[in-house]
Amino acid sequence: MALLLGARGEDLLTRRGTAEFVEQVRQGLYGRMAHLSAGEEEQLLLRVRDALEEDLAAEQQGREEFSRALDEADQAEDVQALVLVQDRLHVMAADHFRRRGSVTAYHLLRTAALDRVTAAALRIAANQMAVGGVGLPAGRWCWMAVGSAGRGEATRFDACDFLLVHEESEAGSSFVGFSGRAAALLERLGIGSRTGITPASTSWRGSLAEWRQRIAARVAGGGGDLEGLVRLADLRLVAGDPSLAADMVNLVRAMLSFHTDPLREIARRTAMMPSGFDFFGRLRVERGMFNLALYGIGPLVANVRLMTVRHDIPETGTTERIRGLLYQGRIDVDLAERLLRAWHCFCRHAVEREIAGEGGVFIDPDGLGSDEMYELHSGLEAVGSLQKIVYSSVTGQG
């Protein structure tokens, strides 16, 4: 029955989680009301109602304030004004996480802020070029995010990778100055790539035809840079022409579906990414710290992405990809729930450290409580189960 509901497009995981939560609340209320008089029961229910209404009102107010700040980004005329708006958006996202602890909401808020601030910076760059008498970009173009920003999981803005797609090559020269100026403005806003993936580089901008040639050259000769092509499955439009962005996404998906044999080797290597446990089943620690990015977040993201690429699932966000795998029958409900809990566990630690101003995602296991340690172990075991499925699909054993 559960799989049938999933196949019909209902969000089974959300429905189950909501039902379980409501049942827990109901049992708690009934347990409390069993010791109250009739009048006291009514007063308790009224207080619960008032508390929920107050909570809903606070959430609505928070959404409205965040939306107004996003609109202010659209109106900013220079980088100085944009910095002030950006700082407010960051603070609001962090405050919401401290109150609610929702990783999904935090990613949503930070990604919305990134998109609007980036789009505003591109608009300011174009305005500066117009005022300076420099030729504006000719024809359609789209500025696209890849990596965590492409998946809609933006957190640190100093780790945002972008590329540019524009109309055919004769228009390319007009994008040289635009890309460089925009990248410089984004750098002033703290938005940039740690790996050099930026349209300011000729390797990361071009027409659709140039991107087709570039990708074909990279994967030529039995695989080449196919891993780089797999990472392009995270592409997401940030600003510019939606139809051109869709063409770029379709190009990447077509190239991935064409190179099926090399993709199997990539899948094998992805499935064999190092486990977070040592030979004795203990956490792998170095100098007393556990590298959650290396052993948790990285393998989870990579294996989920690889499976969605192989099975032609179009979603880009990790949670949406997990649900897509469930509704295609590639994983069962139990593993989907375990992976979603693992994702929340891993990213909660990452967000907490980011908000605290700490670099990297390193955890001191000795500082974790028993429940936190159990949650971490369970999450790593879920990733291991996923890797087994990926490996079995490659070797033909499953």
Side-chain angles (χ1 to χ4, degrees), residues 204-216:
W204 296 103
R205 67 171 184 269
S207 68
L208 203 61
E210 289 170 333
W211 275 110
R212 183 180 293 106
Q213 295 171 359
R214 190 175 293 160
I215 292 171

Side-chain angles (χ1 to χ4, degrees), residues 40 58 70:
E40 290 172 332
L70 291 176

Side-chain angles (χ1 to χ4, degrees), residues 152-220:
E153 297 158 3
T155 54
R156 299 185 64 89
F157 284 0
D158 59 350
C160 295
D161 298 335
F162 298 110
L163 59 80
L164 176 69
V165 184
H166 56 73
E167 288 191 313
E168 294 310 313
S169 56
E170 57 266 20
S173 59
S174 66
F175 288 95
V176 176
F178 175 66
S179 299
R181 189 181 293 266
L185 291 179
L186 289 173
E187 187 173 341
R188 290 174 60 186
L189 292 161
I191 301 174
S193 172
R194 296 176 181 174
T195 55
I197 300 178
T198 168
S201 166
T202 56
S203 299
W204 296 103
R205 67 171 184 269
S207 68
L208 203 61
E210 289 170 333
W211 275 110
R212 183 180 293 106
Q213 295 171 359
R214 190 175 293 160
I215 292 171
R218 287 184 178 182
V219 299

Side-chain angles (χ1 to χ4, degrees), residues 13-143:
L13 300 177
T14 299
R15 292 179 66 246
R16 281 179 50 160
T18 301
E20 291 172 1
F21 172 74
V22 170
E23 183 59 29
Q24 290 172 1
V25 172
R26 182 181 290 114
Q27 290 178 1
L29 277 173
Y30 288 170
R32 179 74 178 273
M33 291 166 61
H35 305 286
L36 300 177
S37 66
E40 290 172 332
E41 287 180 0
E42 182 179 358
Q43 289 301 314
L44 174 60
L45 291 174
L46 289 173
R47 286 197 296 271
V48 170
R49 184 199 64 185
D50 292 343
L52 290 174
E53 289 178 348
E54 183 179 339
D55 227 27
L56 288 170
E59 283 293 303
Q60 179 63 28
Q61 181 180 357
R63 285 195 294 269
E64 291 173 355
E65 290 177 355
F66 196 83
S67 180
R68 284 195 294 270
L70 291 176
D71 292 340
E72 288 179 26
D74 295 340
Q75 304 301 320
E77 297 182 355
D78 52 42
V79 173
Q80 290 76 14
L82 203 51
V83 167
L84 296 177
V85 176
Q86 183 187 40
D87 289 344
R88 286 175 53 207
L89 291 167
H90 291 184
V91 169
M92 283 189 277
D95 287 346
H96 189 279
F97 179 80
R98 292 188 187 98
R99 291 196 310 272
R100 304 299 187 198
S102 171
V103 167
T104 302
Y106 185 77
H107 284 162
L108 179 65
L109 294 173
R110 290 299 297 262
T111 299
L114 171 67
D115 287 1
R116 296 288 276 272
V117 170
T118 299
L122 297 176
R123 172 178 52 78
I124 292 171
N127 290 342
Q128 290 177 348
M129 294 173 69
V131 171
V134 182
L136 291 174
R140 296 183 303 150
W141 58 272
C142 59
W143 194 278

